[in-house]
Every structure is written in structure tokens, then in C-alpha cells.
Amino acid sequence: MAGAAAEQRRLATVVESWLGRPVLIVGDAMLDEWRFADSDRLCREAPAPVLTLRRRISAAGGAANTAVNVAALGGRAVLVAPVGADVAGDEVHDCLDRAGVWDRTVNLPGRPTPVKRRMLAGNQILLREDSGDPDDALDPDGVTRLLTALSCATEELRAAAGGDPPTLVVCDYGLGALPAPVRAWLVEQRERYATVALDAHDLADWRGLAPTVVTPSFAEATRLLARAGGATRPSNGTELHLEHPDGDPADGPSELSVGTAPGGVHADAGTGEPAPHLSRADRLGPVGEPTPGEGRVALTGDGLSVTGTGVTVNTEAGEGVDRAVLAESRLAELRAHTGADVVAVTLDTEGAVVGGADGEPRRSHSTPVPASHAVGAGDAYLAAMTLALAADAPLPTAAQLAQLAATITVSDTGTCVCRREDLLTALDLPPQVASHPVLVDTAELDAIVAEYRDAGRSVVFTNGCFDVLHRGHVRYLEQARALGDLLIVAVNSDGSVRRLKGPDRPVNPVEDRGALLAALSCVDHVVVFEEDSPAALIEAVRPDVYVKGGDYPPELVPEAPLVRRLGGQVRTLGYVPDRSTSAIIERIRSHSQDRESDPSVHTRTS
């Protein structure tokens, strides 16, 4: 029991270590739309159900969902991707904003945002309608704007990390967001990034990137091997050969056939000549179509081959072979063909097979769930694997956390997102902390912080006047909350605000300002301080992360030396453009003056 607790604590330490780690995500962003309907009859025109729409939800998809998962797990996520100037694009922006992702997407009028619309009845997906395809390629101006956004976001993250190179995640799902010039730029700029993760439908497009980790599905891995030549290897006297159909769909399964060497003839183990006991039909290699069922392979009707989704295996090449075994046997080739340090072949509901430079395959398992529960689970896997490797976690630890992140997200229908709190809870850490009021005084705050410290939780601290609460404040506080387990907001008293802002401020008394902050779900505790500087509170709280709003580097924050002396980190988060208390107050005053100078107003109100 003690050993299990120590292992959980070790894993939790890795999760804590990646807090605030800068990650740039680039690729195909899309919108996932879920439409939930009821159906109790068939229509008269056709044998089809009549659906009554009950609710609709939308979520970030593709590269956007990977960014959301990075942010939810505690990383600092920045997304660069082309997004259409349309309704779907607006919804993607909203999803990113709610998740605390730094939205550096490039709006491209005339190029629609890819959408995956799912219609469900009784929690069963009835149909999926996709919009967006590789034909929606970026024009030269779009490529230029995307490359500019990539370069700027890279430097932005480097500055936020104190000069350290950021992590890069490439999500290429074949929808045209990463054309050849963008791929070439990323390969050329590889040295600007420390850890590089690649998730691509066609891995062959990324030769030269030298990623730290690639996470192909089984179909994507077999597609790469087949196109690379399908090298053969002996196995107990029987050669395994990869056959692959031409013209793979851009988004669909690939078929891997494992059986005889080219020519379809089983070689005799002793002579190397065709085995005489096999009929001509047998010498043609494996037959039979893959069954639609997932899980392990099953015996086909010919009695000689077993088959499963996307794979046909001849029994003479190894009875009982399944996808995990096949993936394990080809990890070294996959690493060679991709140039990656780590290859993680994901197997849907069967978990994953992971291999690194030591040549030791690592198998992880998952719990089978309905397909509607697993949408986006691969994004959670990719986000956790990337963060763990970027935090220098050993490969077995990274693989374990990635699988756990993917597994705990599949409890319900919808696009999967794994939160840092959920991951720690799954590790039975940290223990529950007693409930406390949101509005507290300094004495109560000391006790609360001590309790959280004992529970192994991290504390985020920020301060400000928060005179007129607006969207910029809310986004800033949501991003701050994502950097730790507990967010404490220190609010200047009315006297302090007057000394800092002038005699006409604050507009709202501290009681109102504190109550509004306490009503935000991202704020755990609010405390009022009388001084002009929060230095005394910082000394008492000793925050793990101190956050300030602004577009300047952390070195310019006056409290930075104190926070670092106490062992904490300093982070600056950019505000929403054109959102500030001063600007709002000025607009209100201007509007009031316009009304006073308008004679018609006095006429109507007299």
C-alpha cells in the first residue's frame, strides 16, 4: 500500500512540475458540434427515425481541442491555426476563450472553419456530417499570415518562459492548415523548440522534423510502414509482409495485411521453397474482409487466417497475434521512419504501445467505452504525453500519465477534455480540503493556505483594483486559475484605490468588487488589503505562482524579486484587447456628456 501511495505521489509530482509550461499548438482547428435528439417513431417517407432536437453543444475540435487539453492540464497553451471568418469560427474562439487558451488563430475570410456535426438519439450517434477538406487550402496570403503568427507566438512564449525554448505540438489532420511551405518552415525552425510532438494522418509528410514524440493511430502507423516499403522480417521461418491498398482515404482506417512474402507463397522453413502442402488458393495469402468488431482478432472462414478491424493476420505467422503485438514488433522501424525519439501507437479502446530509444516496448490499457464517449481522447493523450516529456519525465511515467488522461475523459458523450484536477483525483491526490467561504480575512487566509499546502496543492495569487469587472478581467482570472489548484485574489481597499487611481476612483466600493469576484467560479478566495502594495500578503501566502496582467515580461513586475526569493514563479498574462476599466469609464462619461449636450434629451425628459 505504501509503495502504491509513493508511486501516485511521484506521478502527481510530474503533473505539478508541468504547471505553466509554455506549449505552442499548430494545425487543423475545427468545431465539434453535438446535437442530442429524441426519436419515438419512423417517418412515412422512408425507414428513418423522426428526430426532435433537444439540445446542442459545441466544443473545440482537432488542434483546438489539443490546446484546450493542454490548458486544462495546467500548461500555457497558445494556438496558431487558420479559422474561418464564420459562425463556426466564432464558436471556436469562444471555446478557446473559456478554456484559457491564448488565441493566436488567423481569421481567413472565404475559407470555412472545418466542422464535425454529430446527431445522436438515445446516446447513439446516428450520423456525422463533416465540412472542410484538403481542397480548402491556404492561399499565399494565408500562408504568410500563418507563418507570421507562428513566429510571433514562438517569441511570445519564449519571453513568457524567461528565454527558454517552448514546446511545439503539430496536429496535421489533412484539412489543409499545414501546406508544404508551413511544414518546411517548421522543419527549418526545429531548433527554436525544445520538445516537439507530432500527430499526423500522413507521417510521411513530416520527414526531417525530428520530433520528440509521434502518436500515430494503428492505421496511421501501418500506412507509413507500407509506404516506406513494407520491409520483411523473419519470424520462426515465416516472413511477415505488409500489403497496403492504394489511395488511402484522408480520414479513415488503413488495412494492414500480415501474411506471406511478396507473391503470396508460404516459404518452407527448411528449404525456402513454397510449402508443398498448401493449395494454390492458400498460396495467395490471407483472404477474407476485416470484421467490423473491435477487440482482438478472430478466426476467418478459411480456417487459416484471423482478422480484425484493419488487420488480417495469417495464423502461421503467429497464432493469437493482435494489433498490440504487431505494433510492438514494428516500433523500431516506426522510430527510424519518423526520426522520433518516442513512438506511441494508439489502439483506441485497447490502449497504446509506446517505444523509446531503449527498445523496450511499453503497453498501456484502457477501458472499452462507446465510441461517442471517446471523441477527442487522443487529444488528451497527446497533451499529457507532451507535457510530461517536456517536464523531463521518464518515458514509462509519461506513457502512464498519458493513458490515464485519455481514460478518465471517456465517462460521457462529448468531446474529451482532461482537467488537471481530474488527473490528480484519479491518482487519489491531493486529499480533500475542508470547505471555506470565498470572502476571507487575512487570518482565515493563513489557515486556508496552510491546509492546502499540507494537501500538496499549489497556490496561485494575484491582486488588483478590479473596479469595473469586465471580460478582460474574467479571461485573465480564468487563465490564472488554470496555473494551479487554488486561486487567491487580493483586492485593493477603497482608500488604496484612491491613492493609486485618483480621488474619483473607485467607481464601485470594495464590498461590491469583492462580491462580484467571489461569484466567479474560477476564483477560490478573495481577500481585501489596505496597503498600496501586496508585499505583506505575498510574504504570508508564499504563492507557488504570482500572476499579473499585462503584455510586459515578468522581470518588470515590481513584486517579482520577492516572489522568486520565496520560491515562487512569476507569470504575466495578456489582457483582452480594447478591454480596460479606464476605457469603460471613459465611454460611460462620454455617453453621459453627449446626452447632456443633446437638446432633444432635455425636451423628452422635461
Side-chain angles (χ1 to χ4, degrees), residues 535 538-539 546 553-570:
I538 292 173
E539 287 267 15
Y546 177 67
E555 289 72 23
L556 296 182
V557 176
E559 297 82 5
L562 172 61
V563 173
R564 292 197 175 103
R565 178 170 61 80
L566 297 172
Q569 305 176 45
V570 179

Side-chain angles (χ1 to χ4, degrees), residues 117-140:
R117 297 180 179 88
R118 297 171 177 87
M119 178 67 80
L120 301 90
N123 219 29
Q124 173 65 47
I125 296 178
L126 300 182
L127 60 89
R128 193 181 92 182
E129 176 194 6
D130 289 3
S131 61
D133 56 55
D135 292 335
D136 298 325
L138 272 63
D139 59 23

Side-chain angles (χ1 to χ4, degrees), residues 186-253:
L186 288 168
V187 170
E188 183 180 307
Q189 302 293 321
R190 171 63 177 86
E191 295 306 316
R192 295 175 71 177
Y193 309 98
T195 302
V196 174
L198 172 63
D199 184 21
H201 278 353
D202 194 344
L203 291 163
D205 284 342
W206 291 93
R207 292 186 182 91
L209 182 63
T212 309
V213 58
V214 294
T215 60
S217 66
F218 183 78
E220 290 160 355
T222 59
R223 180 181 300 132
L224 176 67
L225 290 172
R227 288 177 177 168
T232 61
R233 63 173 60 192
S235 176
N236 297 326
T238 304
E239 299 222 328
L240 302 185
H241 174 63
L242 294 174
E243 296 176 351
H244 197 278
D246 294 328
D248 294 318
D251 183 11

Side-chain angles (χ1 to χ4, degrees), residues 96 206 210 388 537:
L96 297 174
W206 291 93
L537 269 176

Side-chain angles (χ1 to χ4, degrees), residues 272-346:
E273 295 296 322
H277 64 281
L278 294 178
S279 67
R280 183 178 182 279
D282 293 334
R283 297 183 185 187
L284 294 177
V287 296
E289 292 295 324
T291 61
E294 293 189 354
R296 298 180 71 85
V297 292
L299 191 68
T300 57
D302 62 6
L304 292 176
S305 300
V306 288
T307 186
T309 302
V311 58
T312 303
V313 183
N314 187 275
T315 52
E316 293 192 3
E319 188 171 358
V321 172
D322 64 12
R323 295 193 302 172
V325 174
L326 291 170
E328 287 181 4
S329 71
R330 311 309 287 269
L331 285 174
E333 291 169 75
L334 288 168
R335 288 185 64 246
H337 289 312
T338 60
D341 298 327
V342 175
V343 172
V345 180
T346 56

Side-chain angles (χ1 to χ4, degrees), residues 509-523:
V510 71
E511 294 81 9
D512 292 352
R513 292 184 281 128
L516 285 173
L517 288 167
L520 297 176
S521 60
C522 58
V523 175

